Amino acid sequence: MAIDALTASHKAVLDGILLKIAGVTAGDIGGMPAYFINKRMFACIANGGVGLRLSSNEAANLQFSRGDVVAFQPKGMPSTREWVQINHADSADYANDVDVLNASVAFVRSAR
């Protein structure tokens, strides 16, 4: 399945950030580009943004403190409180989210 230009742009930026982290791999889930640590997904590109798995407290804090963070609903499906989506029109802006991306990797890496 072909991906749209915005998704391809987001993926190029995220590949450059995330694939430098030890143990992170890129893949696909349901036709959406995704990123995994220990074979568990921590990030997914969907709906024009990037979904991330974080602790429910951190996810809630991001939703309340940032206007560009919403609940993650891949393909319109509801997800859990641990998933949020960061929306940037300019893919390069994800470089400013390195701390949040690293927090997602650490959370999923340590999850049971």
Side-chain angles (χ1 to χ4, degrees), residues 4 6-7 10 32 44-50 71-77 85 87:
D4 62 70
L6 183 61
T7 299
H10 286 355
M32 299 175 290
C44 179
I45 302 170
N47 311 327
V50 176
F72 182 55
Q73 297 181 305
K75 297 185 178 181
M77 302 295 293
Q85 179 171 318
N87 295 313

Side-chain angles (χ1 to χ4, degrees), residues 80-101:
T80 69
R81 295 179 305 157
E82 293 181 340
W83 282 90
V84 294
Q85 179 171 318
I86 302 174
N87 295 313
H88 292 308
D90 183 346
S91 301
D93 290 340
Y94 287 106
N96 299 324
D97 294 317
V98 170
D99 290 346
V100 178
L101 295 166

Side-chain angles (χ1 to χ4, degrees), residues 1-79:
M1 180 169 122
I3 59 176
D4 62 70
L6 183 61
T7 299
S9 178
H10 286 355
K11 182 176 180 344
V13 169
L14 290 170
D15 280 358
I17 296 168
L18 297 173
L19 296 180
K20 293 177 183 172
I21 299 170
V24 170
T25 59
D28 178 280
I29 191 154
M32 299 175 290
Y35 298 89
F36 303 85
I37 187 79
N38 299 331
K39 298 182 182 176
R40 298 200 334 235
M41 186 172 70
F42 68 89
C44 179
I45 302 170
N47 311 327
V50 176
L52 295 172
R53 184 173 175 212
L54 299 160
S55 71
S56 55
N57 284 344
E58 190 164 1
N61 287 340
L62 277 177
Q63 280 186 275
F64 287 113
S65 66
R66 289 179 51 169
D68 59 356
V69 177
V70 298
F72 182 55
Q73 297 181 305
K75 297 185 178 181
M77 302 295 293
S79 65

